[in-house]
Amino acid sequence: MHEKTMTFSVHDDKESEMKQTLTTVYDALREKGYNPINQIVGYILSEDPTYITTYNNARSLIRRIDRDELLQAMVKAYLND
């Protein structure tokens, strides 16, 4: 009897965490009346945290994400869809 080997990927967990964080930031920006896409892109391009509201701790959350990793995940998701 053979048992299946479970695989574990830190990379997949990291991408899932980034997506969850980005969704939280997106929701906070939308709730405050901002255009979330424009604000997030502004932050990614400039790394200026003032693009992100402090509402619901969004600014602190997004600063925990490595921008290079985020861009890689975004390009990968865009090209795979």
Side-chain angles (χ1 to χ4, degrees):
M1 180 161 68
H2 295 280
E3 291 184 32
K4 288 186 177 183
T5 302
M6 297 297 289
T7 59
F8 175 76
S9 174
V10 174
H11 184 70
D12 290 342
D13 286 347
K14 185 84 166 172
E15 285 186 10
S16 177
E17 184 179 325
M18 280 193 294
K19 183 175 182 176
Q20 182 178 7
T21 298
L22 205 55
T23 300
T24 300
V25 170
Y26 179 95
D27 290 343
L29 287 164
R30 192 183 73 239
E31 287 175 29
K32 291 303 283 182
Y34 296 104
N35 179 321
I37 300 298
N38 289 347
Q39 297 303 112
I40 292 169
V41 168
Y43 170 74
I44 291 170
L45 292 175
S46 69
E47 202 171 4
D48 181 354
T50 60
Y51 276 97
I52 307 300
T53 182
T54 57
Y55 178 71
N56 283 349
N57 208 29
R59 187 178 295 168
S60 176
L61 290 172
I62 202 163
R63 295 189 81 188
R64 294 179 190 164
I65 298 175
D66 181 90
R67 287 184 320 146
D68 290 337
E69 289 178 6
L70 176 59
L71 286 170
Q72 287 176 6
M74 291 168 67
V75 169
K76 178 182 165 189
Y78 184 82
L79 293 175
N80 285 336
D81 287 344

